[in-house]
Amino acid sequence: MRGQLAANGSITVRRGRALGVFPTRVIALNRPGQARLLRERTRGAVLGDRAAAAAIEDAAMAAIAAEGGVRTVFTPKERWQHRAAFTALNERFDSAVPALRDALRTAVAASRSASS
């Protein structure tokens, strides 16, 4: 994924070394305005006044961010406070794309277990 984002110019990856020994990577967004807009659209699919009418693409991004625990989109507190909205979102997402959320949950769990 990182390679694809770098190839299309969305991010810049600078490589370096910490303490002259350990390899590091610093990743910078090249278009932070687009990232902010996407974040707000994603949040609006759950937290906005017209969440039920949000585009399915925005609802999908919100479901993926919630399942993946992306805290820069939804904080744990927001997920708890708006759990009814997240339940409604998940039902809508599941009816539009059956079984994808389960596959995503499995992929997230596998990724977390591999990194620990």
XYZ file of all heavy atoms in Angstrom:
863
model
N 0.829 -1.184 0.000
C 0.000 0.000 0.000
C 0.875 1.250 0.000
O 0.616 2.174 -0.751
C -0.916 -0.031 1.228
C -1.783 1.183 1.358
S -3.005 1.416 0.081
C -4.249 0.283 0.580
N 1.892 1.282 0.847
C 2.770 2.453 0.924
C 3.413 2.727 -0.425
O 3.498 3.880 -0.859
C 3.849 2.243 1.993
C 4.733 3.458 2.170
C 5.879 3.210 3.135
N 5.438 2.640 4.378
C 6.049 1.631 4.998
N 7.134 1.097 4.507
N 5.590 1.165 6.135
N 3.841 1.674 -1.112
C 4.464 1.831 -2.416
C 3.514 2.426 -3.442
O 3.910 3.270 -4.245
N 2.258 1.999 -3.407
C 1.272 2.539 -4.334
C 1.001 4.012 -4.055
O 0.888 4.819 -4.983
C -0.031 1.748 -4.245
C 0.089 0.343 -4.782
C -1.171 -0.471 -4.513
O -1.918 -0.193 -3.590
N -1.380 -1.490 -5.334
N 0.897 4.371 -2.783
C 0.660 5.782 -2.430
C 1.846 6.654 -2.834
O 1.669 7.779 -3.295
C 0.370 5.917 -0.936
C -0.962 5.345 -0.476
C -1.037 5.320 1.045
C -2.127 6.107 -1.063
N 3.050 6.130 -2.666
C 4.239 6.882 -3.080
C 4.295 6.993 -4.604
O 4.622 8.054 -5.149
C 5.504 6.220 -2.544
N 3.940 5.911 -5.294
C 3.999 5.917 -6.755
C 3.007 6.906 -7.371
O 3.314 7.545 -8.372
C 3.725 4.511 -7.290
N 1.841 7.071 -6.755
C 0.868 8.005 -7.325
C 1.025 9.422 -6.777
O 0.224 10.290 -7.083
C -0.564 7.487 -7.186
C -1.134 7.620 -5.787
O -0.660 8.372 -4.948
N -2.186 6.878 -5.530
N 2.047 9.638 -5.955
C 2.347 10.986 -5.480
C 1.555 11.444 -4.277
O 1.625 12.610 -3.907
N 0.834 10.541 -3.626
C 0.050 10.924 -2.451
C 0.915 11.153 -1.222
O 0.595 11.984 -0.376
C -0.997 9.856 -2.135
O -1.927 9.769 -3.181
N 2.018 10.388 -1.131
C 2.928 10.528 0.009
C 4.368 10.582 -0.478
O 4.675 10.186 -1.604
C 2.783 9.360 1.018
C 3.152 8.022 0.367
C 1.400 9.338 1.639
C 3.236 6.858 1.336
N 5.222 11.082 0.402
C 6.661 11.039 0.178
C 7.263 10.241 1.326
O 6.933 10.485 2.493
C 7.267 12.460 0.166
O 6.637 13.203 -0.885
C 8.757 12.429 -0.055
N 8.117 9.291 0.996
C 8.761 8.461 2.013
C 10.241 8.802 2.028
O 10.930 8.663 1.015
C 8.572 6.953 1.719
C 9.244 6.110 2.795
C 7.097 6.610 1.606
N 10.699 9.297 3.188
C 12.133 9.577 3.361
C 12.719 8.498 4.260
O 12.184 8.202 5.324
C 12.343 10.949 4.001
C 12.015 12.094 3.072
C 12.457 13.455 3.627
N 12.630 13.521 5.063
C 11.812 14.162 5.900
N 10.754 14.788 5.449
N 12.059 14.180 7.193
N 13.801 7.939 3.792
C 14.467 6.893 4.577
C 15.670 7.499 5.292
O 16.304 8.415 4.789
C 14.928 5.758 3.670
C 13.781 5.056 3.003
C 14.268 4.058 1.961
N 13.164 3.587 1.176
C 12.664 2.368 1.259
N 13.196 1.503 2.067
N 11.638 2.030 0.516
N 15.936 6.973 6.453
C 17.078 7.435 7.224
C 17.502 6.369 8.212
O 17.100 5.216 8.113
N 18.321 6.797 9.159
C 18.799 5.877 10.199
C 18.746 6.575 11.543
O 19.172 7.718 11.675
C 20.227 5.432 9.917
C 20.334 4.611 8.646
C 21.219 3.408 8.879
N 21.151 2.523 7.744
C 20.622 1.304 7.811
N 20.146 0.849 8.916
N 20.589 0.542 6.746
N 18.208 5.883 12.540
C 18.209 6.376 13.909
C 19.482 5.880 14.576
O 19.818 4.693 14.466
C 16.979 5.874 14.661
N 20.173 6.782 15.213
C 21.439 6.460 15.877
C 22.455 5.890 14.897
O 23.383 5.194 15.280
C 21.222 5.488 17.036
C 20.253 5.941 18.125
C 19.994 4.818 19.115
C 20.762 7.185 18.833
N 22.244 6.159 13.627
C 23.149 5.682 12.596
C 23.070 4.193 12.339
O 23.824 3.653 11.540
N 22.126 3.502 13.000
C 22.048 2.051 12.895
C 20.677 1.554 12.434
O 20.581 0.751 11.514
C 22.385 1.392 14.261
C 22.262 -0.121 14.189
C 23.762 1.792 14.740
N 19.639 2.027 13.080
C 18.297 1.493 12.854
C 17.617 2.209 11.697
O 17.519 3.433 11.695
C 17.449 1.641 14.121
C 18.069 0.989 15.321
C 18.668 1.755 16.316
C 18.075 -0.390 15.450
C 19.252 1.160 17.416
C 18.654 -0.993 16.545
C 19.247 -0.222 17.533
N 17.132 1.440 10.718
C 16.461 2.080 9.578
C 15.143 2.727 10.014
O 14.406 2.169 10.827
C 16.218 0.936 8.602
C 16.374 -0.311 9.389
C 17.181 -0.007 10.602
N 14.876 3.903 9.473
C 13.629 4.613 9.752
C 13.002 5.072 8.446
O 13.676 5.164 7.416
C 13.867 5.846 10.638
O 14.710 6.759 9.949
C 14.487 5.471 11.971
N 11.722 5.358 8.531
C 10.995 5.943 7.403
C 10.133 7.064 7.948
O 9.419 6.875 8.929
C 10.106 4.908 6.719
C 10.884 3.869 5.970
C 9.941 2.995 5.154
N 10.692 2.004 4.447
C 10.699 0.712 4.752
N 9.985 0.269 5.740
N 11.421 -0.124 4.046
N 10.196 8.205 7.301
C 9.326 9.325 7.637
C 8.381 9.501 6.458
O 8.821 9.688 5.323
C 10.137 10.618 7.900
C 9.202 11.783 8.158
C 11.097 10.410 9.059
N 7.097 9.429 6.731
C 6.092 9.513 5.674
C 5.364 10.844 5.801
O 4.887 11.201 6.877
C 5.101 8.341 5.783
C 5.870 7.021 5.641
C 4.009 8.461 4.741
C 5.071 5.798 5.953
N 5.302 11.570 4.688
C 4.629 12.869 4.670
C 3.538 12.869 3.602
O 3.733 12.363 2.499
C 5.639 13.975 4.382
N 2.398 13.453 3.958
C 1.314 13.611 2.981
C 1.664 14.740 2.029
O 2.087 15.810 2.455
C 0.008 13.969 3.685
C -0.652 12.879 4.504
C -1.826 13.448 5.281
C -1.117 11.755 3.606
N 1.482 14.524 0.743
C 1.750 15.568 -0.239
C 0.546 16.473 -0.464
O 0.692 17.602 -0.914
C 2.189 14.950 -1.571
C 3.543 14.283 -1.433
O 4.353 14.652 -0.591
N 3.784 13.283 -2.255
N -0.650 15.963 -0.141
C -1.873 16.755 -0.312
C -2.713 16.658 0.969
O -3.760 16.012 0.999
C -2.654 16.250 -1.516
C -1.899 16.430 -2.835
C -2.693 15.964 -4.039
N -2.803 14.517 -4.155
C -1.954 13.753 -4.841
N -0.935 14.287 -5.461
N -2.134 12.458 -4.914
N -2.274 17.331 2.042
C -2.996 17.203 3.313
C -4.429 17.712 3.256
O -5.294 17.232 3.989
C -2.153 18.004 4.302
C -1.281 18.874 3.482
C -1.110 18.195 2.160
N -4.714 18.652 2.386
C -6.083 19.146 2.252
C -7.044 18.067 1.805
O -8.181 17.982 2.291
N -6.599 17.225 0.882
C -7.436 16.113 0.430
C -7.667 15.111 1.553
O -8.756 14.567 1.685
C -6.807 15.425 -0.771
C -6.923 16.212 -2.046
C -6.313 15.473 -3.224
O -5.441 14.621 -3.053
N -6.772 15.797 -4.424
N -6.642 14.879 2.355
C -6.783 13.953 3.478
C -7.782 14.497 4.500
O -8.617 13.742 5.026
C -5.426 13.711 4.138
N -7.718 15.798 4.774
C -8.681 16.405 5.705
C -10.106 16.302 5.169
O -11.038 15.987 5.908
C -8.325 17.872 5.971
C -7.294 18.066 7.061
C -7.169 19.522 7.473
N -6.706 20.379 6.394
C -5.439 20.522 6.034
N -4.498 19.871 6.682
N -5.109 21.317 5.048
N -10.282 16.562 3.887
C -11.603 16.470 3.271
C -12.145 15.045 3.358
O -13.307 14.830 3.718
C -11.547 16.922 1.808
C -12.850 16.811 1.022
C -13.922 17.689 1.626
C -12.613 17.189 -0.432
N -11.315 14.056 3.062
C -11.735 12.661 3.142
C -12.103 12.292 4.577
O -13.109 11.617 4.822
C -10.633 11.739 2.618
C -10.935 10.250 2.648
C -12.172 9.925 1.827
C -9.739 9.463 2.146
N -11.301 12.757 5.537
C -11.593 12.487 6.945
C -12.947 13.074 7.336
O -13.758 12.415 7.973
C -10.493 13.069 7.835
C -10.742 12.857 9.306
C -9.629 13.505 10.138
N -9.832 13.294 11.538
C -10.485 14.132 12.335
N -10.998 15.255 11.874
N -10.630 13.865 13.616
N -13.221 14.295 6.941
C -14.490 14.933 7.296
C -15.676 14.260 6.619
O -16.732 14.093 7.238
C -14.446 16.426 6.981
C -13.492 17.199 7.880
C -13.691 16.906 9.365
O -14.848 16.933 9.847
O -12.688 16.610 10.051
N -15.514 13.860 5.367
C -16.592 13.134 4.689
C -16.849 11.794 5.379
O -18.004 11.387 5.553
C -16.231 12.893 3.224
C -16.389 14.122 2.356
C -16.030 13.861 0.919
N -16.670 12.659 0.394
C -16.285 12.053 -0.720
N -15.276 12.522 -1.434
N -16.916 10.981 -1.143
N -15.782 11.123 5.773
C -15.899 9.832 6.447
C -16.594 9.997 7.794
O -17.510 9.241 8.130
C -14.515 9.190 6.621
O -13.916 9.050 5.328
C -14.598 7.842 7.288
N -16.194 11.000 8.555
C -16.823 11.267 9.847
C -18.293 11.645 9.667
O -19.152 11.235 10.439
C -16.077 12.374 10.591
C -14.719 11.934 11.118
C -13.959 13.098 11.727
N -14.680 13.772 12.793
C -14.814 13.318 14.039
N -14.246 12.183 14.383
N -15.483 14.006 14.938
N -18.584 12.426 8.632
C -19.950 12.857 8.386
C -20.901 11.712 8.090
O -22.103 11.813 8.345
N -20.368 10.613 7.568
C -21.203 9.450 7.273
C -21.775 8.824 8.536
O -22.769 8.091 8.475
C -20.405 8.410 6.489
N -21.173 9.120 9.687
C -21.658 8.583 10.957
C -22.151 9.701 11.877
O -23.218 9.602 12.466
C -20.549 7.794 11.690
C -21.034 7.286 13.034
C -20.066 6.651 10.840
N -21.369 10.744 11.987
C -21.633 11.774 12.980
C -22.410 12.971 12.444
O -22.850 13.814 13.214
C -20.304 12.269 13.578
C -19.374 11.185 14.116
C -18.076 11.796 14.599
C -20.050 10.391 15.210
N -22.555 13.066 11.142
C -23.201 14.227 10.540
C -24.714 14.226 10.674
O -25.338 13.215 11.015
N -25.310 15.376 10.362
C -26.761 15.531 10.442
C -27.490 14.649 9.434
O -28.620 14.255 9.649
C -27.146 16.997 10.181
C -26.636 17.920 11.279
O -26.370 17.431 12.385
O -26.506 19.129 11.010
N -26.836 14.379 8.309
C -27.479 13.603 7.253
C -26.772 12.259 7.055
O -26.586 11.807 5.937
C -27.488 14.420 5.968
C -28.106 15.803 6.210
C -28.345 16.578 4.969
N -29.550 16.052 4.341
C -29.707 15.956 3.034
N -28.783 16.361 2.221
N -30.819 15.472 2.530
N -26.385 11.628 8.150
C -25.625 10.378 8.078
C -26.380 9.298 7.310
O -25.786 8.550 6.532
C -25.278 9.890 9.475
N -27.694 9.218 7.491
C -28.475 8.176 6.808
C -28.472 8.368 5.301
O -28.633 7.401 4.553
C -29.902 8.171 7.334
N -28.251 9.604 4.851
C -28.254 9.890 3.418
C -26.847 9.973 2.836
O -26.681 10.314 1.674
C -28.988 11.207 3.164
N -25.844 9.635 3.625
C -24.458 9.715 3.150
C -24.247 8.743 1.996
O -24.860 7.674 1.936
C -23.487 9.395 4.286
N -23.373 9.118 1.082
C -23.039 8.254 -0.049
C -22.480 6.930 0.470
O -21.798 6.900 1.497
C -22.019 8.937 -0.952
N -22.764 5.858 -0.232
C -22.299 4.537 0.205
C -20.776 4.486 0.263
O -20.211 3.797 1.111
C -22.879 3.403 -0.668
C -22.613 2.038 -0.026
C -22.334 3.470 -2.083
C -23.265 1.813 1.303
N -20.092 5.256 -0.596
C -18.625 5.297 -0.556
C -18.132 5.865 0.770
O -17.174 5.359 1.363
C -18.061 6.131 -1.712
C -18.350 5.574 -3.088
C -19.702 5.984 -3.645
O -20.468 6.733 -2.964
O -20.014 5.552 -4.767
N -18.810 6.917 1.256
C -18.437 7.509 2.534
C -18.783 6.570 3.688
O -18.019 6.431 4.648
C -19.121 8.863 2.724
C -18.671 9.884 1.692
O -17.575 9.710 1.120
O -19.407 10.857 1.463
N -19.933 5.911 3.578
C -20.320 4.939 4.599
C -19.324 3.773 4.640
O -18.963 3.294 5.721
C -21.730 4.423 4.331
N -18.848 3.347 3.476
C -17.859 2.267 3.426
C -16.552 2.695 4.094
O -15.967 1.930 4.868
C -17.596 1.863 1.979
N -16.108 3.916 3.801
C -14.874 4.405 4.434
C -15.047 4.475 5.951
O -14.137 4.137 6.707
C -14.492 5.777 3.882
C -13.979 5.745 2.467
S -12.458 4.785 2.277
C -11.337 5.761 3.247
N -16.217 4.909 6.409
C -16.477 4.991 7.841
C -16.475 3.606 8.478
O -15.899 3.410 9.555
C -17.811 5.697 8.095
N -17.105 2.644 7.824
C -17.130 1.273 8.356
C -15.729 0.690 8.419
O -15.348 0.057 9.408
C -18.044 0.398 7.503
N -14.936 0.919 7.393
C -13.561 0.414 7.361
C -12.719 1.078 8.445
O -11.963 0.415 9.159
C -12.955 0.603 5.961
C -13.647 -0.329 4.970
C -11.447 0.375 5.974
C -13.371 -0.018 3.517
N -12.868 2.401 8.600
C -12.108 3.120 9.631
C -12.499 2.640 11.026
O -11.641 2.461 11.896
C -12.336 4.623 9.504
N -13.790 2.411 11.235
C -14.251 1.946 12.549
C -13.750 0.534 12.838
O -13.244 0.257 13.930
C -15.772 2.004 12.613
N -13.870 -0.372 11.871
C -13.412 -1.751 12.069
C -11.906 -1.811 12.286
O -11.416 -2.619 13.063
C -13.797 -2.642 10.885
C -15.236 -3.016 10.833
C -15.707 -3.829 12.033
O -14.927 -4.612 12.617
O -16.884 -3.667 12.387
N -11.190 -0.938 11.579
C -9.735 -0.920 11.701
C -9.229 -0.151 12.905
O -8.032 -0.125 13.176
N -10.143 0.489 13.625
C -9.741 1.246 14.812
C -8.869 2.447 14.468
O -7.943 2.770 15.207
N -9.166 3.108 13.357
C -8.376 4.263 12.924
C -8.760 5.450 13.808
O -9.764 6.117 13.584
C -8.606 4.581 11.430
C -7.762 5.763 10.997
C -8.292 3.356 10.584
N -7.946 5.706 14.814
C -8.264 6.719 15.818
C -8.163 8.149 15.306
O -8.684 9.060 15.941
C -7.351 6.546 17.026
C -7.626 5.266 17.750
C -6.699 5.059 18.908
N -7.024 3.814 19.576
C -6.794 3.588 20.833
N -6.216 4.498 21.577
N -7.126 2.441 21.359
N -7.521 8.359 14.177
C -7.472 9.706 13.617
C -8.780 10.054 12.915
O -9.010 11.214 12.581
C -6.297 9.868 12.632
O -6.409 8.874 11.617
C -4.961 9.740 13.349
N -9.635 9.067 12.715
C -10.952 9.318 12.119
C -12.014 9.324 13.213
O -12.774 10.276 13.344
C -11.289 8.273 11.031
C -12.674 8.528 10.457
C -10.249 8.304 9.927
N -12.067 8.274 14.016
C -13.018 8.177 15.121
C -12.269 7.797 16.385
O -11.587 6.776 16.416
C -14.083 7.104 14.852
C -14.893 7.325 13.611
C -14.750 6.488 12.522
C -15.795 8.360 13.538
C -15.502 6.682 11.378
C -16.548 8.567 12.398
C -16.398 7.727 11.311
N -12.418 8.600 17.425
C -11.783 8.263 18.696
C -12.586 7.150 19.367
O -13.778 6.966 19.058
C -11.737 9.484 19.629
O -13.082 9.850 19.990
C -11.017 10.665 18.989
N -11.966 6.415 20.279
C -12.730 5.395 21.003
C -13.946 5.994 21.723
O -15.005 5.375 21.759
C -11.706 4.832 21.995
C -10.389 5.042 21.315
C -10.530 6.350 20.598
N -13.795 7.191 22.254
C -14.909 7.851 22.940
C -16.063 8.112 21.966
O -17.232 7.886 22.302
C -14.435 9.154 23.565
C -15.491 9.878 24.360
C -14.923 11.132 24.999
C -15.991 11.863 25.795
N -15.457 13.085 26.411
N -15.750 8.578 20.763
C -16.794 8.810 19.757
C -17.472 7.507 19.366
O -18.699 7.470 19.202
C -16.201 9.472 18.512
C -15.835 10.914 18.710
C -15.084 11.491 17.536
O -14.335 10.752 16.852
O -15.232 12.702 17.312
N -16.685 6.470 19.222
C -17.276 5.173 18.861
C -18.223 4.700 19.956
O -19.256 4.107 19.672
C -16.184 4.149 18.581
C -15.442 4.473 17.281
C -14.404 3.475 16.930
N -15.027 2.174 16.716
C -14.370 1.031 16.798
N -13.091 1.015 17.069
N -14.980 -0.102 16.582
N -17.905 4.967 21.203
C -18.765 4.570 22.315
C -20.013 5.463 22.366
O -21.132 4.966 22.471
C -17.998 4.648 23.627
C -18.849 4.372 24.815
C -19.314 5.274 25.730
C -19.387 3.114 25.217
N -20.089 4.659 26.670
C -20.161 3.328 26.382
C -19.298 1.833 24.696
C -20.828 2.297 27.037
C -19.963 0.806 25.357
C -20.714 1.051 26.514
N -19.821 6.777 22.271
C -20.938 7.710 22.381
C -21.941 7.562 21.237
O -23.129 7.800 21.419
C -20.429 9.155 22.403
C -19.718 9.530 23.670
C -19.112 10.920 23.597
O -18.756 11.398 22.530
N -18.995 11.561 24.748
N -21.475 7.177 20.078
C -22.332 7.103 18.898
C -22.526 5.658 18.432
O -22.698 5.405 17.243
C -21.731 7.947 17.762
C -21.555 9.378 18.130
N -22.588 10.280 18.108
C -20.469 10.060 18.556
C -22.143 11.465 18.492
N -20.859 11.355 18.768
N -22.527 4.735 19.377
C -22.595 3.317 19.005
C -23.871 2.976 18.237
O -23.851 2.117 17.363
C -22.355 2.414 20.195
C -23.280 2.557 21.340
C -22.790 1.731 22.549
N -23.651 1.915 23.691
C -23.542 2.907 24.557
N -22.589 3.793 24.422
N -24.375 3.012 25.573
N -24.967 3.658 18.509
C -26.201 3.397 17.743
C -26.009 3.801 16.283
O -26.451 3.079 15.370
C -27.374 4.154 18.354
N -25.332 4.911 16.058
C -25.060 5.349 14.680
C -24.120 4.372 13.979
O -24.283 4.082 12.789
C -24.464 6.755 14.677
N -23.140 3.853 14.705
C -22.216 2.877 14.117
C -22.943 1.563 13.813
O -22.671 0.928 12.795
C -21.004 2.631 15.019
C -19.962 3.687 14.908
C -19.863 4.682 15.850
C -19.084 3.710 13.834
C -18.902 5.678 15.738
C -18.125 4.694 13.706
C -18.037 5.687 14.666
N -23.879 1.177 14.667
C -24.670 -0.028 14.410
C -25.492 0.144 13.137
O -25.523 -0.747 12.281
C -25.581 -0.343 15.611
O -24.752 -0.581 16.756
C -26.447 -1.558 15.345
N -26.125 1.307 13.002
C -26.911 1.582 11.793
C -26.016 1.604 10.555
O -26.373 1.074 9.494
C -27.644 2.907 11.937
N -24.835 2.206 10.693
C -23.873 2.243 9.588
C -23.471 0.825 9.188
O -23.450 0.492 8.004
C -22.632 3.042 9.985
C -21.453 2.922 9.026
C -21.658 3.854 7.850
C -20.162 3.226 9.725
N -23.158 -0.003 10.171
C -22.736 -1.375 9.881
C -23.834 -2.161 9.185
O -23.559 -2.927 8.255
C -22.293 -2.075 11.165
C -20.979 -1.533 11.678
O -20.198 -0.962 10.927
N -20.735 -1.690 12.965
N -25.077 -1.964 9.602
C -26.191 -2.655 8.950
C -26.321 -2.207 7.500
O -26.519 -3.037 6.606
C -27.482 -2.407 9.724
C -27.521 -3.119 11.059
C -28.702 -2.711 11.919
O -29.506 -1.843 11.505
O -28.813 -3.265 13.033
N -26.194 -0.916 7.272
C -26.276 -0.392 5.905
C -25.126 -0.924 5.048
O -25.314 -1.360 3.914
C -26.248 1.129 5.953
C -26.361 1.773 4.608
C -26.433 3.277 4.730
N -26.366 3.863 3.408
C -25.861 5.023 3.134
N -25.408 5.782 4.097
N -25.811 5.470 1.908
N -23.924 -0.902 5.603
C -22.746 -1.378 4.889
C -22.857 -2.872 4.594
O -22.584 -3.315 3.478
C -21.490 -1.069 5.714
C -20.208 -1.454 5.050
C -19.772 -0.802 3.911
C -19.424 -2.465 5.566
C -18.577 -1.144 3.302
C -18.223 -2.812 4.965
C -17.804 -2.154 3.834
N -23.290 -3.643 5.588
C -23.419 -5.094 5.403
C -24.452 -5.446 4.343
O -24.271 -6.417 3.605
C -23.774 -5.773 6.723
C -22.618 -5.762 7.713
O -21.470 -5.499 7.298
O -22.873 -5.998 8.916
N -25.538 -4.665 4.255
C -26.549 -4.968 3.230
C -26.042 -4.594 1.838
O -26.382 -5.244 0.860
C -27.864 -4.250 3.537
O -27.725 -2.863 3.386
N -25.188 -3.564 1.762
C -24.656 -3.146 0.456
C -23.516 -4.047 0.001
O -23.375 -4.324 -1.191
C -24.180 -1.699 0.522
N -22.692 -4.477 0.957
C -21.509 -5.284 0.626
C -21.439 -6.453 1.616
O -20.673 -6.419 2.574
C -20.216 -4.434 0.710
C -19.048 -5.172 0.105
C -20.390 -3.079 0.059
N -22.249 -7.483 1.393
C -22.293 -8.595 2.346
C -20.920 -9.246 2.554
O -20.145 -9.405 1.619
C -23.251 -9.595 1.692
C -24.005 -8.806 0.679
C -23.110 -7.690 0.251
N -20.621 -9.547 3.799
C -19.428 -10.293 4.224
C -18.123 -9.504 4.142
O -17.101 -9.972 4.641
C -19.284 -11.600 3.465
N -18.115 -8.316 3.576
C -16.856 -7.566 3.483
C -16.373 -7.116 4.854
O -15.184 -7.165 5.147
C -16.996 -6.365 2.548
C -15.714 -5.563 2.333
C -14.610 -6.448 1.752
C -15.963 -4.384 1.419
N -17.295 -6.693 5.725
C -16.887 -6.243 7.058
C -16.282 -7.394 7.855
O -15.299 -7.218 8.575
C -18.073 -5.619 7.797
C -17.651 -4.735 8.956
C -18.781 -3.844 9.432
N -19.984 -4.569 9.739
C -20.267 -5.053 10.948
N -19.440 -4.884 11.942
N -21.390 -5.708 11.148
N -16.826 -8.605 7.705
C -16.247 -9.774 8.386
C -14.839 -10.053 7.868
O -13.933 -10.352 8.641
C -17.126 -11.009 8.199
C -18.429 -10.913 8.972
O -18.471 -10.189 9.987
O -19.408 -11.561 8.549
N -14.654 -9.956 6.555
C -13.324 -10.171 5.975
C -12.359 -9.098 6.459
O -11.196 -9.389 6.771
C -13.408 -10.166 4.452
N -12.835 -7.877 6.545
C -11.999 -6.785 7.034
C -11.608 -7.013 8.488
O -10.449 -6.847 8.867
C -12.745 -5.453 6.888
C -12.031 -4.223 7.403
C -10.754 -3.985 6.618
C -12.945 -3.021 7.315
N -12.558 -7.415 9.300
C -12.287 -7.689 10.715
C -11.230 -8.787 10.848
O -10.309 -8.690 11.660
C -13.579 -8.103 11.412
C -13.438 -8.202 12.910
C -14.748 -8.585 13.589
N -15.788 -7.602 13.330
C -16.980 -7.900 12.808
N -17.287 -9.133 12.503
N -17.877 -6.961 12.611
N -11.316 -9.818 10.021
C -10.337 -10.904 10.038
C -8.957 -10.395 9.629
O -7.951 -10.740 10.249
C -10.786 -12.036 9.097
O -12.059 -12.507 9.529
C -9.796 -13.183 9.092
N -8.903 -9.550 8.604
C -7.629 -9.006 8.138
C -6.990 -8.107 9.191
O -5.778 -8.157 9.429
C -7.819 -8.234 6.840
N -7.799 -7.295 9.874
C -7.288 -6.423 10.929
C -6.739 -7.256 12.073
O -5.654 -6.997 12.591
C -8.370 -5.442 11.404
C -7.961 -4.730 12.691
C -8.685 -4.422 10.318
N -7.474 -8.285 12.475
C -7.015 -9.145 13.564
C -5.715 -9.851 13.204
O -4.799 -9.943 14.021
C -8.091 -10.167 13.913
N -5.615 -10.323 11.968
C -4.388 -10.989 11.529
C -3.216 -10.008 11.518
O -2.103 -10.351 11.922
C -4.580 -11.582 10.136
N -3.471 -8.801 11.071
C -2.409 -7.790 11.035
C -1.939 -7.453 12.439
O -0.735 -7.306 12.685
C -2.947 -6.530 10.337
O -2.008 -5.492 10.429
N -2.872 -7.323 13.363
C -2.506 -6.997 14.747
C -1.744 -8.130 15.403
O -0.809 -7.905 16.163
C -3.745 -6.643 15.542
C -4.292 -5.292 15.160
C -5.479 -4.897 15.981
N -5.927 -3.583 15.574
C -7.157 -3.156 15.681
N -8.089 -3.939 16.190
N -7.477 -1.953 15.290
N -2.127 -9.371 15.134
C -1.426 -10.494 15.746
C -0.035 -10.668 15.149
O 0.895 -11.091 15.842
C -2.236 -11.785 15.619
O -2.306 -12.198 14.273
N 0.136 -10.325 13.879
C 1.447 -10.431 13.247
C 2.410 -9.377 13.758
O 3.612 -9.593 13.801
C 1.302 -10.313 11.736
N 1.883 -8.216 14.176
C 2.758 -7.135 14.633
C 3.049 -7.203 16.114
O 3.828 -6.422 16.636
C 2.151 -5.772 14.279
O 0.953 -5.572 14.994
N 2.413 -8.137 16.832
C 2.699 -8.218 18.264
C 3.625 -9.343 18.616
O 4.168 -10.034 17.880
C 1.415 -8.345 19.072
O 0.532 -9.308 18.572
